[in-house]
Amino acid sequence: MVTLVNLRAYWRFLVVVYQFFPLIVAYARDRRRFFLFGGSRSVTPDMRVRRAGILLDSLLTLGPTFIKLGQLLSTRPDILPPEYIEVLSSLQDDVPPAPWEESSQVLEAELGPVSEAFDVFDPDPISGASLGQVYTAEYDGDPVAVKVRRPGIEKLVEADLRVVRWSLPVVRRFIGEGRAFSLENLADEFAKTIRQEMNYSRERRILDQIRSNFRGDDAIRIPAPVEERSGPRVLTMEYLPGTKINDVAALDEMGIDRTELATTLQRVYLQMIIDDGVFHADPHPGNLAVDDEGRIIFYDFGMSGKVEPFIQDKIVDFYVSIANQDIDGILDALIEMGTLSPEADRQVMGDVMELAIADARGEDIEQYRVQQIIEQVESTIYEFPLRLPRNLALVLRVATVVEGVCVTLDPNFDFIAVATAYLREEGYYEETARELARDAGRQARDTSQALFTVPPKLDRTLDRLERENLSVNIRVEDKNGVFDRLARRIAYSILLAVGALSTSILYAFEGTSVVPAAVAALLTIPVAVLLYRSFRSKRGVRATPQFTRQNLRERRGDE
C-alpha cells in the first residue's frame, strides 16, 4: 500500500529532478559531448565553480534536508572537487522561522501549556535554523533558551531521505567506483546524522558530557540543560548571551586579548578531539560568542562527533609528524587511520605532502598553518583513491573552521605552535618518543637475528645456483585485470586477422558468388567492434600517476 510518506517522496523526487536537471544535462554531456555519441569533454575549474554555484542555489531552494546535505558534502573532499567544497562551505543553516502558532503546538505536545511550563515566554525567535529555532523564556526566575524542533520537519526529512536514496543510481553514472562507494557511505551517514540532530534528547546528553569534561575550566562557558523542561523535540538550557566571536571591533572595545582568545579556542578543541573523544562539530562564528569577562560561549551541540582512542593516537602522531616535518610519519598516520590506501604510491603522496608543507612553511619550522596543509591535501583527496571516515571528515572540517576563526581574531595566529605546546604539556611528545624508541629496539633485535639467519640461507642459495639447481616461483597479482584485458585483445586481434583473411580468400576464389565472403565479413564485424571497445575502455592497460611534482606546480599556477 502506498503511504503518505511514499506519495510525498515521489513528489519530492520529481521536484529534486527538476531542480537538478541542468546539472544532470551538463554531467551527461561531460561523458558524451552529444549525449549519445562523441567523446568526453574536459571540465575546467571555472566550469566547476559555476556548477557549484548552481548546486548551492538548488540546495537552498529544496529546503532544510538538502541544506544539511550540502553542509555535510562541504566536509567531504573525497567526494567533491575542491571548487565545490569551497562554494558549499559558505552554506549557512539560516532559514526563516516557522510561525509561532505551529511551534507552540510542538511545545505543548512535549511540555504541556506554555504558560504553565514557563514563567515568561517570548514568541519571537532569536534564531532560526533548518531543523529548529530558538526562543528566550524564563523558568524558575532564571533566563533560559528554548530550542524547538521545526513543526512537521520529521515527515519532510523522511521523504527527502528516500529521495536521496533513490537518486544514488543516477549519481553513480557520473562518478568513479571509488567515489560511488564513498557516496553510498555518505547517504547512510547523512540519514543517521540528520536523525540524530533532530533528537534533542541526544543533544542534551552530549551537552552534559562536554560540560562535564570542562568542569572547572574558567576560560569557557557551556550552557547547562534544564532536564525537566526538555524532551525529544524541545531542549531548554541556560541562556548565555554574548558577543559574536568574529566581531573584532566589539571585542576590542571590551578590552579582550584576541590572541589569548584564539589560543583558548584552539586548546579547547584539541582537548575535545585528542583527550575527551567527543567534540562540538559546528564551530562557525554563529555558534561561538564571548561574554564580558572574555570567556568563550559554545552554542548548538546538535552536530557533534566522537573519536575512538585508536584514531586519537593516530591524530597525535599526525600532528607530531607535521611539526617535525616527518613525511613518512604523516603517511603512516594516514594509512593507519584508514584514510590512505596502503597500496598508494608513497613516493607520489610523499611529494604531495612535501610540496604542501614547503609551500606553507615560513622562516621557522613551526611558522605555518595547518589550514594551508589541509587545503593542499583536500585538493588531492578528490583525485587520489582516498576515503574519509565520517568523524575524520568532521575533524578536518573543525580544524579548518577553527583555524579560520583564530586567524580572524589574530592574523598572525600560529596554529602549529599552539598545538605543539599543547602536545608537549600533555606529555604526547614524550610518549611518541618512547614508542619510537620501542620500535627502534624491536627493529634492532630483528636485525640482529637476521645477521645470524641470513648468511647460511644465502650460502645455500648460492650453492644451488652454482649447481644450476635453483628454481624461482613467481606469483603475479593482477587486481585490475590487466593481463585478462591483454589476452582478450590478442584473441580479438587474431580472430579479426583470420576473419579478414578468410573474407579476402572467399572473395577472390568464389567469383560466381559473393555470399560466402559477405557472411565471413559479417561474422568478423562483431570481433572488430569488441576489439575497438577494448581500446576505448577507460580501464585501459596503461596507467600514469595522477600527481607529479611538475603537474602539481602547474595546478597551483592555474589557481
Side-chain angles (χ1 to χ4, degrees):
M1 190 172 104
V2 179
T3 64
L4 289 176
V5 174
N6 274 330
L7 286 175
R8 187 169 192 170
Y10 294 142
W11 171 249
R12 288 288 289 174
F13 183 75
L14 294 176
V15 172
V16 170
V17 170
Y18 173 77
Q19 194 65 44
F20 287 133
F21 188 72
L23 287 176
I24 294 172
V25 171
Y27 294 142
R29 290 196 62 197
D30 291 343
R31 295 171 63 87
R32 287 288 182 269
R33 188 180 299 273
F34 302 105
F35 296 109
L36 299 178
F37 60 92
S40 61
R41 64 177 182 178
S42 61
V43 181
T44 65
D46 287 340
M47 290 171 64
R48 287 199 186 105
V49 171
R50 288 196 298 273
R51 292 178 183 180
I54 296 172
L55 176 61
L56 177 63
D57 292 339
S58 298
L59 294 172
L60 289 170
T61 302
L62 290 169
T65 311
F66 287 89
I67 290 174
K68 285 292 179 185
L69 179 60
Q71 290 177 329
L72 184 59
L73 284 170
S74 71
T75 70
R76 298 301 299 265
D78 58 328
I79 293 176
L80 291 178
E83 295 87 357
Y84 283 76
I85 297 296
E86 184 176 355
V87 172
L88 292 182
S89 296
S90 65
L91 192 60
Q92 295 297 313
D93 189 12
D94 187 12
V95 297
W100 164 245
E101 293 75 16
E102 298 178 9
S103 296
S104 63
Q105 293 176 9
V106 177
L107 271 166
E108 291 178 359
E110 288 288 313
L111 307 176
V114 177
S115 58
E116 296 178 12
F118 299 95
D119 303 333
V120 178
F121 198 99
D122 185 352
D124 294 325
I126 58 174
S127 70
S130 57
L131 302 181
Q133 46 209 38
V134 180
Y135 299 86
T136 55
E138 285 187 15
Y139 174 70
D140 281 351
D142 296 323
V144 293
V146 184
K147 187 176 179 181
V148 182
R149 189 192 294 174
R150 185 174 283 273
I153 192 66
E154 302 96 330
K155 293 179 181 178
L156 176 63
V157 167
E158 290 302 325
D160 284 346
L161 288 178
R162 295 191 181 203
V163 171
V164 170
R165 178 60 61 183
W166 294 343
S167 303
L168 285 179
V170 178
V171 178
R172 278 199 215 100
R173 294 182 60 85
F174 304 106
I175 58 178
E177 292 181 8
R179 293 185 194 99
F181 177 84
S182 295
L183 201 63
E184 265 313 323
N185 290 344
L186 176 75
D188 295 335
E189 164 200 329
F190 176 60
K192 179 181 177 182
T193 300
I194 198 167
R195 288 184 180 123
Q196 286 179 344
E197 199 167 341
M198 287 193 299
N199 184 353
Y200 290 170
S201 295
R202 175 186 177 276
E203 182 175 347
R204 178 175 55 79
R205 292 193 297 269
I206 295 291
L207 190 60
D208 270 332
Q209 185 176 354
I210 294 181
R211 282 190 84 249
S212 176
N213 292 338
F214 286 92
R215 184 172 287 118
D217 191 333
D218 297 330
I220 69 169
R221 298 186 72 187
I222 297 174
V226 182
E227 186 171 354
E228 57 271 22
R229 288 295 178 267
S230 299
R233 295 187 292 172
V234 176
L235 174 59
T236 302
M237 67 199 101
E238 182 183 8
Y239 178 57
L240 300 176
T243 302
K244 265 192 172 185
I245 199 167
N246 63 342
D247 191 346
V248 175
L251 294 177
D252 289 340
E253 289 180 8
M254 296 163 58
I256 303 295
D257 185 334
R258 289 190 274 121
T259 301
E260 183 179 344
L261 196 66
T263 301
T264 299
L265 179 64
Q266 182 55 49
R267 292 177 67 90
V268 165
Y269 272 97
L270 285 170
Q271 178 182 327
M272 286 183 188
I273 293 170
I274 294 175
D275 289 332
D276 301 334
V278 57
F279 59 95
H280 176 263
D282 199 13
H284 66 77
N287 287 337
L288 300 171
V290 183
D291 69 8
D292 294 337
E293 298 179 21
R295 295 174 294 186
I296 301 175
I297 306 170
F298 290 79
Y299 302 126
D300 194 356
F301 287 77
M303 186 180 292
S304 59
K306 292 188 176 182
V307 189
E308 298 176 358
F310 174 78
I311 297 298
Q312 288 177 295
D313 293 340
K314 295 302 115 186
I315 291 174
V316 170
D317 293 344
F318 180 74
Y319 279 138
V320 171
S321 298
I322 289 178
N324 292 335
Q325 205 176 348
D326 179 5
I327 302 297
D328 284 332
I330 294 173
L331 296 180
D332 289 341
L334 291 174
I335 290 172
E336 290 172 0
M337 282 190 287
T339 301
L340 177 64
S341 169
E343 299 176 1
D345 189 325
R346 287 183 69 95
Q347 180 62 47
V348 176
M349 288 302 300
D351 288 344
V352 172
M353 296 298 174
E354 182 183 346
L355 287 173
I357 293 176
D359 178 69
R361 191 193 326 152
E363 295 180 359
D364 188 82
I365 190 172
E366 293 181 352
Q367 296 299 317
Y368 52 83
R369 299 193 179 111
V370 160
Q371 184 179 11
Q372 292 173 289
I373 297 173
I374 288 174
E375 287 175 352
Q376 291 281 353
V377 175
E378 282 182 346
S379 67
T380 69
I381 285 177
Y382 178 71
E383 298 190 43
F384 267 108
L386 304 185
R387 291 172 182 167
L388 219 52
R390 173 181 177 262
N391 281 336
L392 280 179
L394 285 178
V395 169
L396 189 72
R397 177 178 186 269
V398 165
T400 305
V401 176
V402 168
E403 203 269 346
V405 173
C406 291
V407 170
T408 301
L409 293 170
D410 177 10
N412 297 317
F413 181 73
D414 190 342
F415 181 100
I416 290 297
V418 174
T420 302
Y422 180 86
L423 294 174
R424 289 189 189 281
E425 291 172 16
E426 298 299 317
Y428 288 111
Y429 257 77
E430 290 74 9
E431 179 60 30
T432 301
R434 285 194 292 270
E435 184 61 32
L436 289 173
R438 286 194 290 268
D439 288 343
R442 286 192 291 267
Q443 289 179 5
R445 181 194 61 198
D446 294 342
T447 301
S448 299
Q449 292 176 349
L451 289 175
F452 292 97
T453 59
V454 170
K457 293 179 180 178
L458 181 61
D459 184 63
R460 289 196 297 271
T461 301
L462 292 174
D463 184 55
R464 294 181 64 186
L465 181 63
E466 185 178 13
R467 297 198 307 267
E468 298 183 355
N469 191 29
L470 179 67
S471 61
V472 179
N473 294 323
I474 300 176
R475 184 181 65 182
V476 179
E477 293 187 0
D478 185 24
K479 295 181 179 180
N480 294 323
V482 173
F483 291 156
D484 182 56
R485 292 196 297 277
L486 278 174
R488 285 202 303 269
R489 289 180 184 177
I490 292 172
Y492 294 154
S493 299
I494 293 173
L495 290 173
L496 181 62
V498 170
L501 182 61
S502 301
T503 302
S504 301
I505 292 174
L506 290 171
Y507 182 76
F509 289 95
E510 294 287 340
T512 59
S513 175
V514 295
V515 173
V519 171
L522 288 174
L523 293 175
T524 306
I525 289 175
V527 177
V529 172
L530 289 172
L531 180 61
Y532 172 76
R533 290 183 61 184
S534 74
F535 280 100
R536 291 287 297 172
S537 173
K538 291 185 178 181
R539 298 180 59 191
V541 173
R542 294 184 299 171
T544 57
Q546 294 170 292
F547 284 85
T548 63
R549 191 183 299 266
Q550 179 62 31
N551 64 34
L552 271 176
R553 289 187 181 130
E554 291 173 357
R555 286 182 56 181
R556 290 191 53 78
D558 293 338
E559 295 172 2

